[in-house]
Amino acid sequence: MKKLVIYNHGKDSIPWGEKTKHFAEVAKYHGYAFESPDYQQQPDPDKRAEQLLAMDLSGFEQVVLIGSSMGAYVSTVASETIRPKGLFLLAPAFYLPGYRQTEFKPAAEDIRVFHGWQDDIVPPENVWRFCRQYRVRLNLYDTDHRMLSVISQLAEEFSRFLAGFDEG
C-alpha cells in the first residue's frame, strides 16, 4: 500500500526545519513517503490550504496530514476534502484574526492535538474550544508555541499514531 505523510509548516517556519526532519524520519520508519510543501511565499492560511488541495494524491491509498500552527489550520481545513487517515496537529492556529474558517469539519479516522501551556501565540483556550467541540483528545505539554523542547515526545507520539494504522 502506498502511504504518504504531508507535513504543513507554520507561518514563519520553513518546509524542512527541525520538527519536519524528526517527523520525516518517523514516517519513513513506518513505510510512508513524506512531503513538506513550501508555503513561505504564501502568508494567507486559506490560500495555503488551496495549495495543499492542489497536490496530486491519487497515487496514495493512505494519507496522513501533520501540521504545526498555521500548518495545523491548513491541515484541518484541507482534511474536509482530502479525508486523510490521520490528522496530527501541533499548536493549531484556531480562532485567530485573519483566519477565515472558524467552524471546521475535520475529517479523519484519528485526530490528535498537542499544545503548549506556555504558548503565547495561540492561547490554549482556543485549542480546548476546538477539541471540546469535535471531541478530540488534547495533549498539553509544559512548553511554548514552537514545542521544540518536547520534540522527542512528539516524535514518539507520532510513531505510535502511525503504528496504530498498521494494526487496524
Side-chain angles (χ1 to χ4, degrees), residues 17-36:
E18 190 175 340
K19 278 187 276 194
T20 315
K21 291 173 185 168
H22 274 86
F23 293 116
E25 191 175 301
V26 171
K28 288 177 183 165
Y29 174 81
H30 287 278
Y32 285 78
F34 192 90
E35 294 281 336
S36 184

Side-chain angles (χ1 to χ4, degrees), residues 19 27 35 44 51 57 61 64 69 82-83 131 135 157 162 165:
K19 278 187 276 194
E35 294 281 336
D44 182 309
Q51 184 178 333
L57 305 177
E61 298 156 57
V64 172
S69 191
I82 294 173
R83 306 188 79 72
C131 289
R135 292 179 177 81
E157 289 280 358
L162 295 180
F165 298 134

